[in-house]
Each structure stands twice: as structure tokens, then as C-alpha cells.
Amino acid sequence: MSFFRRARTRGFAPSGNGASSFHLGWRLPPGAGHLVAASVTLEVRTPPVVDHLYFWALQVAFPGAGAAHLGLQWNHRHPGFGAVNWAGYAGDGSLLVGTESPLPSTPADPNTRDYPWEPARAYRLRVHRVEEGAWRGEVTDLTTGDATTVRDLMAAASFLGDPLVWSEVFARCDDPSVTVRWSDFEVVSDRGDRFTPAALTVNYQSHADGGCANTTSVLDGRGGVLQITSTERLTRQGAKL
């Protein structure tokens, strides 16, 4: 069943950017302190089969200086649909400036680079401070152990905050179901202490904002959380996992 009075389960999302998104906000324990790194493991369990864009990302805020997101994309503009994006917006809405990525980009997009990720393979997404005002986005293939620096973004903040992960789907609500798994959520403080979220808060883009009603986020029983499209909604809006 759906928990929406009006259920959008077919067609494209009529949102401002044409996507339907759903999120997991990290509820960090008290005393986590000033954060200088956040990381999470992403695995695309059931990949897309349509040409429309899918984006799965770790997002962080830079207090007073904007926010940014690091993640994998299923993107038809890149070889084999494989891409990685590390980009964000300053407090005034302008794009954050970044260093030139060592990765190629077939469409010559400074924010989105070619990255040949594979389904059913785990990737570690990590954002961390490399120097004052410089924040690195890094992806590690946990099968090979190869760590790839996407680039550094410049944000005039000493610390990061408000980590969350999300799926942003530009496909039809009724396109074939896609499943991703998130696990091993972690932040690091400026003291070197490591914390995991006490809980994850479920959020779905509302019907009024163009969201699909047939997405869900569920625990998988092995310490991870699945985000699934084109399926029955099993977890309510605002639930804590």
C-alpha cells in the first residue's frame, strides 16, 4: 500500500528538475563534535535498464558556505553509463569552484567524470578536508582497493555537517525497479573520533513536489539500508531506521 492519499506511480516526475528523490538523513550522536570527513559504502544491487539518469550520492553541508554531493551516476553521456559526480553550490547559489579532475569526461563536464563502476560491487564514497577550505571527493572500489580522487572542491568552511544519502531518479515512476544498498555510515571529527549515526531518518519527495509514491527505504537485516524504486512503499515518511 502507499501512504499517500494521491499516489503517483506512473510516468515522469513533474518536479522542477524532472526527478523524484528520496533521502536518508543521518542522526548523529550527541557530542560528535566538529566533522572533517564523512563516508558511506554504496552498492548498486539491481541496476537501471533505461536510458534515463539515476544519481546516488552522499551529501554534506558546509556551514555558511553551501553544500555538495559525491556519488555514482547511471548516465548515458558517459561510456557504459558509468559516471561519478563531485559538485555543489555555495551559499549564494553559485557553483562551488573545484580543481581539475584527473578523470576524463566524455561530455567535458567539470563536475561529472567518466567512472566505470559495476553493479553488485561495493564502492566507498568519502568526503574529507585536505586543507582549510578544500574538500576532497574520493571513491574506493572495495573489490580492488583502488582509491580514486575525483577532485577537490573549494568551500570556505572549516567543518562539514548534515550528512545524508539519497537516490535521485529521472526515470519514470513505473520504469523497472532499481535497488541500491547503503552501509557503513561514518563521520570523523577534528579530534579523530569516529561515529556512526544513531538512526537514519527516511524522507521522500512529496507528491506536491513531484515525487513518486512507489519508492521505499528499508533495512536489509545485515546492517545496510536498501533504497528501491518502482515497488511498494514499506516505510513511512519520517520513520527512523
Side-chain angles (χ1 to χ4, degrees):
M1 64 175 288
S2 167
F3 297 110
F4 285 102
R5 292 179 181 275
R6 302 169 60 199
R8 180 180 293 109
T9 59
R10 302 183 65 83
F12 289 105
S15 59
N17 67 350
S20 174
S21 303
F22 50 126
H23 320 81
L24 295 167
W26 302 15
R27 293 175 59 88
L28 298 176
H34 293 122
L35 306 180
V36 295
S39 56
V40 67
T41 297
L42 168 64
E43 180 185 351
V44 182
R45 287 284 184 86
T46 306
V49 295
V50 296
D51 289 349
H52 306 299
L53 176 65
Y54 288 72
F55 189 6
W56 310 284
L58 164 65
Q59 178 176 307
V60 296
F62 300 123
H69 40 69
L70 169 69
L72 301 182
Q73 292 185 352
W74 171 265
N75 189 326
H76 75 276
R77 301 200 306 159
H78 296 263
F81 287 79
V84 61
N85 175 287
W86 173 221
Y89 295 91
D92 62 3
S94 63
L95 282 171
L96 292 173
V97 175
T99 58
E100 184 175 353
S101 176
L103 297 173
S105 177
T106 298
D109 184 337
N111 302 312
T112 309
R113 316 302 292 184
D114 302 342
Y115 186 78
W117 60 269
E118 298 181 21
R121 196 158 173 162
Y123 296 88
R124 188 74 174 165
L125 307 177
R126 180 175 178 237
V127 174
H128 62 106
R129 189 179 68 186
V130 291
E131 59 183 61
E132 191 69 22
W135 298 89
R136 181 161 297 171
E138 181 182 272
V139 182
T140 300
D141 181 332
L142 295 183
T143 299
T144 64
D146 293 335
T148 299
T149 294
V150 181
R151 63 172 179 162
D152 296 345
L153 285 181
M154 305 304 139
S158 298
F159 308 108
L160 61 80
D162 301 326
L164 68 153
V165 295
W166 42 253
S167 293
E168 187 174 50
V169 180
F170 292 80
R172 296 171 59 93
C173 298
D174 52 326
D175 274 330
S177 184
V178 169
T179 299
V180 300
R181 181 178 190 263
W182 301 100
S183 63
D184 299 323
F185 307 82
E186 184 181 79
V187 294
V188 181
S189 76
D190 58 343
R191 301 187 303 269
D193 298 321
R194 298 176 181 271
F195 299 91
T196 58
L200 301 168
T201 302
V202 174
N203 180 66
Y204 304 104
Q205 189 169 351
S206 70
H207 181 95
D209 289 335
C212 298
N214 55 344
T215 57
T216 197
S217 297
V218 293
L219 295 171
D220 72 352
R222 298 191 304 278
V225 180
L226 304 179
Q227 287 194 314
I228 311 171
T229 68
S230 194
T231 189
E232 180 183 5
R233 179 160 294 172
L234 300 175
T235 306
R236 290 181 180 271
Q237 167 71 11
K240 305 295 188 296
L241 299 178

